[in-house]
Amino acid sequence: MSGKRKGPPPEDVTRRAEEGRTAEGRDVTPAVGRRGQAGGWVRTGEKVALAKERWGDARWSFLYDKDTRYASASANGSVAEAARRARGGGEVPVAVQGPMIHATLWTWEVPVYFFVGGLAAGSSLVSVACDQFGDHEGAELARKLALGAVLPAPLLLIADLGRPARFLNMLRIFKVRSPMSMGAWCLVAFSTTATGAVAADVLGFKRAGRAAGVATALLGSYLGSYTGALLAATATPLWARSRVLLAPIFVCTAAASGAGANRLLQRSGPTREALGHLELLAMGGKLILSPINDRHIGSLAEPLEHHRAYKLSNWAARIGVALRLLRRGGDVPSVLFLASALLTRIAWIEAGKQSAGDDEAVARMARR
Amino acid sequence: MEIAVQRPEAQRMGFFTDTTVCIGCKACEVACKQWNDLPADDLRASLSYDATRELSASTWRHVRFVETLRIPEPEPTLNFVEAALGAQLDRWVFMSDVCKHCTHAGCLDACPTGALIRTEFETVIVQSDVCNGCGYCVPSCPFGVIDRDPYDGRAAKCTLCYDRLEDGLEPACAKACPTDSIQFGPYEELVERAKGRVATLHERGLEGAYLYGAGDEPQDQLAGGLGAFFLLTEPPERYGLPAHADSPIQQNGPIANATGVAAAFVAAGLAFGAFAAAFRKAR
Ligand code: SF4
Ligand code: SF4
């Protein structure tokens, strides 16, 4: 049961094939149902023959009443105690009979969205730093890059929806509790200020461009980090147990990819050097935090550690860091860091699906 | 905090599913499909008599067959499941699984469109005209209930027959259940009856009987207490249920957001440091 399926659902095929069939003059087209919603019954306003007020029908058809021995003993403290006995303890006492939970249905659009969103957020940070140190040209470039990176983001998000035409329903409410809602709003706000900043730059309103750049970077602090929180706030064991470090790991890769992309475009000068430092620090951060997290969550990290994209992302990061420390490779480390950032997102999502499908792992996590 | 339908005179309604009287007839599954006009599932071959396997967007009640197997001396048998497994069915327990209508509902907390709401009966429903199929509720349910339909694109799950409740009728599954394994009623009343049932079973020597999701001390509650709770006789994992659960967003969201934004500001500090170093050298 994953993803989206194209074409008419199987029951519609059946219905169409057997439409209009009759037996002894009666219509015997099978009623095979409708997907996605409860039956659309229309109220007639009339009561059915056996209707009773306020669930009287439930009481009327009830087998067990006070005159049965179904629940004759009076409850004492033993009820809560019995539940504590069955649900307590750190070990899963029996073989787990799954399935326990559902894995996410997200496909490739979501990790790619995480990547471009992170890149845009990192770029917005770079623009503020450039402005601060007087490299206004570099800052304008970074702002353009942030806008360019964030432009495909809404398209990716819409493509991932089950009902893309209803995308705007995301902006129906503002829900602080849901990272998905906050993320959608943040994406809208970020795109707006990023567009405003570039427009101001182009039109020559330098101060306005810089101010909008600062606002973009502030929004970027959430855009680059919420994706980790989005995953951590689910029941998937791998993500939920990584709740402390997952978002920081995503921030590291976001900063590294933002700095890397800018460095590829900045051909010379101290800004290029500074971006080199930044991407090195950020990737170094990821290379330190990831193993700490893997150790912390123990065997739950297995699907991640065994995932090919994860291994590749780590090697890309390690080789990039090594090259940079040896002062070799020119642009190669930046490209490697960009690849590593994308692969990290893919690996986390795909490994999460495996983790949710691992009934033993889910059961173990729930035993605390 | 939650989007909820208010009606002062309404009270919390729930399901009490008593697995000790369930005979596994799956009448509730069929009644649910009929009333809610849901399509049939594909038949999937498996090593179990339970062809439904799991709750999904088109299966809102699922009678789980808990088949406890014992590996015996090889012996001729006509039972094809046993023959295939080389084992004997030691115990066969049935449990009619359903959306738990949690007090702290992970799906409801996750939904960015407000499609998932709480009704005046304190149940949780999807408004199918609002849901845009973002899919975030699917991994956010700690019980693996809500699902997105692969053809329709929207999320769907048990509504506790909201339409019937509004008309004063009991949900279709409870109406159809021939053994009253599924009982429906005002929540408090149900919990009282369920507690009495557990005590009765204990008296009769079934020490393992316990309530899953109701009657717990506050610190032991499952997702703040389940609107649809169960009487079980085996450890929860046998039924594919977690031993502990809460809304994942309430559990993990604040921490994850905090460390994420903190990390972003650390990254900003590092960026300024990197620029300061590079520009000092250049000057
Ligand atoms: S069981 Fe799952 S789908 Fe049902 S209310 Fe709880 S979180 Fe939502
Ligand atoms: S799939 Fe629908 S019901 Fe589920 S979180 Fe998204 S909008 Fe809400």
Side-chain angles (χ1 to χ4, degrees):
Chain A
M1 267 303 138
S2 77
K4 290 175 259 181
R5 303 218 192 128
K6 298 265 176 284
E11 64 273 9
D12 278 8
V13 177
T14 314
R15 192 162 18 204
R16 217 162 298 141
E18 306 195 351
E19 207 167 29
R21 279 228 197 152
T22 57
E24 298 153 8
R26 289 178 300 129
D27 179 0
V28 292
T29 311
V32 278
R34 235 174 301 262
R35 288 170 183 270
Q37 61 184 68
W41 314 130
V42 182
R43 287 197 170 82
T44 61
E46 279 165 39
K47 293 216 156 55
V48 291
L50 292 175
K52 303 226 177 355
E53 287 303 316
R54 285 186 60 78
W55 310 290
D57 66 328
R59 286 169 215 275
W60 158 74
S61 67
F62 206 63
L63 297 179
Y64 309 116
D65 213 341
K66 298 219 165 49
D67 53 351
T68 70
R69 293 193 296 140
Y70 174 78
S72 47
S74 69
N76 42 32
S78 69
V79 175
E81 182 50 39
R84 218 170 297 134
R85 234 180 302 132
R87 298 201 283 113
E91 296 294 313
V92 181
V94 290
V96 182
Q97 191 173 330
M100 299 277 295
I101 58 171
H102 286 143
T104 182
L105 304 165
W106 292 331
T107 39
W108 62 270
E109 295 94 341
V110 172
V112 175
Y113 160 68
F114 285 9
F115 170 70
V116 295
L119 204 165
S123 227
S124 68
L125 169 60
V126 169
S127 88
V128 175
C130 282
D131 270 336
Q132 190 63 34
F133 289 89
D135 179 4
H136 298 305
E137 252 171 55
E140 285 182 21
L141 183 65
R143 285 198 278 273
K144 286 201 187 94
L145 194 59
L147 178 61
V150 85
L151 278 181
L155 300 179
L156 288 164
L157 270 195
I158 291 171
D160 184 64
L161 295 178
R163 288 289 177 101
R166 294 184 178 180
F167 171 70
L168 283 180
N169 281 5
M170 287 276 189
L171 308 180
R172 225 178 130 248
I173 57 169
F174 187 85
K175 191 157 160 184
V176 178
R177 189 177 268 183
S178 165
M180 181 73 102
S181 171
M182 297 306 287
W185 280 106
C186 184
L187 178 63
V188 171
F190 185 97
S191 312
T192 312
T193 56
T195 312
V198 170
D201 285 343
V202 170
L203 296 176
F205 302 113
K206 300 290 172 201
R207 305 251 323 255
R210 275 169 227 163
V214 173
T216 314
L218 283 175
L219 291 163
S221 74
Y222 191 67
L223 189 71
S225 66
Y226 96 88
T227 49
L230 181 82
L231 299 188
T234 65
T236 300
L238 170 67
W239 300 342
R241 276 291 144 108
S242 309
R243 61 182 184 176
V244 176
L245 287 181
L246 180 51
I249 289 170
F250 277 18
V251 168
C252 287
T253 51
S257 60
N262 274 288
R263 186 170 175 274
L264 289 176
L265 299 178
Q266 291 276 357
R267 295 320 309 173
S268 61
T271 300
R272 182 171 158 90
E273 198 188 331
L275 290 171
H277 296 330
L278 177 57
E279 61 178 1
L280 181 64
L281 285 170
M283 261 303 148
K286 171 193 141 63
L287 284 178
I288 293 168
L289 292 182
S290 290
I292 295 179
N293 186 59
D294 292 355
R295 187 127 352 113
H296 171 64
I297 62 177
S299 60
L300 290 181
E302 269 165 27
L304 187 63
E305 283 166 348
H306 294 159
H307 201 278
R308 205 189 294 142
Y310 191 66
K311 290 185 194 153
L312 277 175
S313 82
N314 280 337
W315 279 113
R318 281 185 208 125
I319 295 173
V321 167
L323 283 175
R324 179 54 46 75
L325 290 176
L326 295 171
R327 299 181 180 282
R328 276 174 208 266
D331 282 341
V332 175
S334 298
V335 175
L336 285 173
F337 292 156
L338 282 169
S340 174
L342 177 60
L343 287 167
T344 307
R345 314 302 167 93
I346 295 175
W348 271 96
I349 301 251
E350 291 303 316
K353 291 182 190 170
Q354 285 175 28
S355 172
D358 181 352
D359 299 326
E360 298 279 341
V362 178
R364 237 182 302 127
M365 179 174 84
R367 283 276 172 182
R368 296 193 225 227
Chain B
M1 217 31 173
E2 282 175 358
I3 310 173
V5 181
Q6 307 286 350
R7 211 171 75 201
E9 72 275 16
Q11 53 181 331
R12 185 168 200 180
M13 303 302 284
F15 281 136
F16 163 43
T17 307
D18 178 353
T19 61
T20 58
V21 293
C22 178
I23 54 172
C25 69
K26 296 213 179 209
C28 50
E29 261 188 58
V30 176
C32 174
K33 288 219 183 241
Q34 284 201 326
W35 179 262
N36 291 305
D37 198 18
L38 296 170
D41 304 294
D42 326 330
L43 271 181
R44 272 168 290 179
S46 73
L47 283 177
S48 163
Y49 285 112
D50 179 5
T52 319
R53 275 199 78 238
E54 61 180 330
L55 291 169
S56 72
S58 53
T59 303
W60 298 352
R61 265 275 175 198
H62 163 217
V63 183
R64 215 179 247 272
F65 288 11
V66 181
E67 290 145 338
T68 349
L69 299 165
R70 186 158 42 94
I71 312 291
E73 305 290 307
E75 223 177 272
T77 169
L78 285 177
N79 180 315
F80 71 88
V81 173
E82 290 179 0
L85 289 174
Q88 271 175 3
L89 273 178
D90 186 28
R91 196 131 46 114
W92 211 2
V93 184
F94 309 109
M95 176 237 185
S96 183
D97 200 2
V98 71
C99 169
K100 279 79 186 169
H101 297 279
C102 314
T103 310
H104 302 160
C107 60
L108 179 50
D109 288 337
C111 181
T113 63
L116 277 153
I117 57 164
R118 197 171 292 282
T119 72
E120 66 268 40
F121 307 110
E122 291 185 46
T123 57
V124 179
I125 63 163
V126 191
Q127 302 176 89
S128 49
D129 52 341
V130 175
C131 170
N132 66 11
C134 73
Y136 193 39
C137 51
V138 176
S140 297
C141 168
F143 300 102
V145 173
I146 196 165
D147 197 10
R148 189 172 78 182
D149 191 285
Y151 294 100
D152 180 85
R154 289 174 298 181
K157 70 168 191 73
C158 162
T159 67
L160 214 132
C161 280
Y162 186 42
D163 49 350
R164 292 175 62 99
L165 256 56
E166 279 184 317
D167 277 0
L169 295 170
E170 78 173 313
C173 55
K175 179 99 259 175
C177 179
T179 62
D180 264 349
S181 168
I182 302 173
Q183 299 172 26
F184 161 84
Y187 191 62
E188 318 292 310
E189 216 174 277
L190 276 185
V191 174
E192 276 318 303
R193 184 182 306 135
K195 283 183 176 167
R197 174 66 176 165
V198 171
T200 304
L201 290 173
H202 284 176
E203 242 171 43
R204 290 194 205 150
L206 194 61
E207 293 293 334
Y210 67 102
L211 290 186
Y212 182 86
D216 296 312
E217 308 287 339
Q219 73 274 13
D220 294 333
Q221 272 174 348
L222 283 150
L226 304 182
F229 57 97
F230 302 84
L231 192 159
L232 307 178
T233 51
E234 303 259 338
E237 287 86 357
R238 275 237 206 279
Y239 310 88
L241 295 170
H244 295 275
D246 206 343
S247 161
I249 284 199
Q250 293 182 32
Q251 257 184 331
N252 308 327
I255 288 197
N257 271 321
T259 58
V261 173
F265 280 95
V266 171
L270 290 178
F272 278 78
F275 272 80
F279 276 80
R280 187 162 332 117
K281 216 175 103 195
R283 235 173 261 138

